[in-house]
Amino acid sequence: MAKHNKRLRRSVRVEVFREYCANSSIHGVRYFDRDERTACERFWWLVVFLLSLLGCGVMIHKTYEKWNQAPIIVTILLRSVERIKAVAQLCNIMFHSNYGWLNQVNGSEDNIVDMLKRLSLPWRTTVALCYYGTDFTECENQLKVTLTEEGICYTFNMLPDREIFRKSAMHTDYIYTRNWYIFPGFQPPGPSYARDAGLDAGLTFYLAQKNEDTDYLCTGFSQGYKLKIHGIDEYPHMAKRNLRLPLGHEISIALKPQMIVTSPSAADYSWEKRQCFFNHERYLRYFQIYNQENCELECLTNVTRAMCGCVRFSMPRSNDTKVCTLSMWHCMYRSKWFLRPIPGLKRQPHRVILEMVKNCNCLPACSSVSYDVEMAQTSLDMEKFRLANNELPRDHLDKFTITTLAIYFKESYFITSKRSELYGWVDFLANCGGLLGLFMGVSILSLLEICYFITIRPFSVRSRIASAEKRKSNEVQTAMLPVICKPE
């Protein structure tokens, strides 16, 4: 019985294979079981078929790998006078190397931010005039006093403090941004948008620097302003990226936005594949809005706290986090370099810090705006200007160095880049179908045909063969019945 079943299964497989070869829509298969073909011919067709199948598989694998892998705001930095230990936190590394003895001087450092605000240059004399397009009042309404690691800055057109930070996670000692005009009933306006391109529709500042406020001790031989252009939802990190503006010059800056958006279909993929975060995917403790700048600032804050036990006065923090004193300045300075460890550095950070940096994972936001900058400048000679206009010398003008700054959009329109899936499921299937059809003449019906001959057809053939064998057995038994004749 077992031998009979084995012979039956073999007969079924042979019959199904022959029927499939005779009726298959895949090119070349029909030549595998032709009685008139020699063994050499059949072998040749088998080799050709296997090579085509291999080539098709390689191309599909490559396709799969490709599928699988594949506003304006301005912050202007003002100079501060180095008088006390609070202001010394703004100085460069050269100053701290030469005047490290300041750490040993006794003095209160409990209220660093208030001290910096009291010693900072007054905005009404520093920003002597500003206007946006032809409107002289809107510019002043949009200016905010902003706290950064380089001191007190003035920011134009940034979102309110309450929309950038998570107030529930922040301390209550002081605020980071404040409007110039603060009086009952004043409602800060929302961000302004450029009405047009060109200098006439741009933002213009007239900056006045008192000559007696120029300082070469704290900041070194480089004098002037620092400018940072960033998105309205980014909190400025001045020390990381900025433009240097010399004193006594007329400066114009043309901006060309570079905007990147991400298609909704890309949200179905993991952030590892698309290499960006949507706002709901990446939680920040101190910021409501995710972007790369905010993430890197929060990461630096966490690393500084882990290394020094405190954070810089300009960093976001909770009520239970201390502000670093001047004695911790070198620790705060080193934390910036430990954020990205350098191979060969003598002192490498602790593994806990390395793990913390690894977990930062500050990828770009899926929708972001950056700016290409074109800057031009020329000297501004106020003395010769007054002489040409027959103006008498005025002592109060000689005490200032005037700098003008104009920022505008270079073009009225710009091209938006879109991050989208290179290969979706439909594209992937279409490519696979095209490759299979090119190499082997395979279609969806060919695949269904294979499924049919693997699943359904063997049962039909088995049933037919079993019936035929049963009928043949009955015929044999009938032929062997004895015939008895009755004698007469």
Side-chain angles (χ1 to χ4, degrees), residues 146-374:
T146 305
L147 181 67
T148 74
E149 74 280 12
E150 301 261 355
I152 305 300
C153 300
Y154 298 150
T155 306
F156 174 78
N157 215 25
M158 191 166 70
L159 288 176
D161 187 84
R162 65 181 182 276
E163 295 184 24
I164 295 178
F165 295 105
R166 296 186 190 276
K167 287 301 183 180
S168 58
M170 295 290 289
H171 67 87
T172 55
D173 296 341
Y174 49 84
I175 63 175
Y176 290 79
T177 63
R178 182 184 293 274
N179 285 77
W180 278 12
Y181 291 101
I182 304 175
F183 51 82
F186 174 73
Q187 182 65 32
S192 298
Y193 296 87
R195 301 179 180 88
D196 198 0
L199 191 60
D200 294 337
L203 173 68
T204 304
F205 290 102
Y206 287 83
L207 307 174
Q209 168 76 20
K210 275 189 178 182
N211 295 331
E212 64 182 19
D213 290 333
T214 304
D215 169 54
Y216 291 92
L217 186 63
C218 180
T219 57
F221 50 79
S222 178
Q223 297 299 313
Y225 303 93
K226 289 183 180 179
L227 171 71
K228 182 176 178 64
I229 299 174
H230 55 95
I232 62 173
D233 55 356
E234 297 177 4
Y235 195 80
H237 190 189
M238 293 297 299
K240 190 171 184 180
R241 287 182 287 269
N242 61 69
L243 301 173
R244 303 304 297 264
L245 309 179
L247 299 174
H249 282 71
E250 183 178 21
I251 303 164
S252 63
I253 296 179
L255 302 179
K256 187 174 181 179
Q258 300 288 336
M259 188 173 183
I260 298 179
V261 298
T262 302
S263 63
S265 60
D268 297 334
Y269 296 87
S270 64
W271 58 265
E272 292 95 338
K273 289 185 177 180
R274 70 176 115 89
Q275 289 295 293
C276 70
F277 283 117
F278 288 101
N279 193 55
H280 66 276
E281 291 181 312
R282 185 69 165 83
Y283 176 82
L284 297 178
R285 178 182 180 185
Y286 299 113
F287 295 96
Q288 297 189 58
I289 303 172
Y290 177 84
N291 54 60
Q292 193 170 24
E293 189 87 0
N294 292 347
C295 178
E296 290 177 350
L297 179 56
E298 182 164 310
C299 182
L300 178 59
T301 302
N302 295 334
V303 171
T304 304
R305 180 180 179 182
M307 291 182 58
C308 310
C310 57
V311 298
R312 199 159 189 171
F313 64 87
S314 59
M315 293 177 175
R317 61 182 179 87
S318 57
N319 281 318
D320 60 350
T321 303
K322 297 187 299 182
V323 175
C324 292
T325 60
L326 187 62
S327 62
M328 302 300 297
W329 191 91
H330 286 283
C331 181
M332 293 185 289
Y333 181 81
R334 288 195 305 270
S335 66
K336 294 188 296 184
W337 297 107
F338 285 165
L339 193 62
R340 291 180 176 86
I342 302 174
L345 196 66
K346 292 182 179 179
R347 183 181 177 184
Q348 290 292 341
H350 192 270
R351 58 180 180 82
V352 175
I353 305 298
L354 291 175
E355 188 66 24
M356 184 179 297
V357 172
K358 182 180 179 181
N359 292 333
C360 286
N361 196 23
C362 292
L363 294 175
C366 287
S367 296
S368 59
V369 180
S370 59
Y371 299 93
D372 287 341
V373 176
E374 293 182 9

Side-chain angles (χ1 to χ4, degrees), residues 391-461:
E391 291 188 8
L392 296 175
R394 286 178 281 182
D395 291 340
H396 71 279
L397 289 179
D398 294 334
K399 297 179 181 179
F400 290 88
T401 299
I402 304 299
T403 304
T404 66
L405 173 64
I407 305 173
Y408 59 93
F409 284 112
K410 183 179 179 180
E411 300 172 355
S412 300
Y413 300 93
F414 61 93
I415 299 175
T416 301
S417 301
K418 190 173 185 179
R419 184 188 289 108
S420 59
E421 57 181 2
L422 181 62
Y423 279 100
W425 281 107
V426 175
D427 303 304
F428 178 68
L429 292 176
N431 276 273
C432 292
L435 292 170
L436 287 169
L438 175 65
F439 282 92
M440 305 174 66
V442 174
S443 66
I444 292 293
L445 289 178
S446 300
L447 299 178
L448 294 176
E449 185 180 76
I450 293 174
C451 293
Y452 165 74
F453 278 98
I454 291 176
T455 58
I456 300 175
R457 187 58 183 167
F459 294 101
S460 301
V461 173

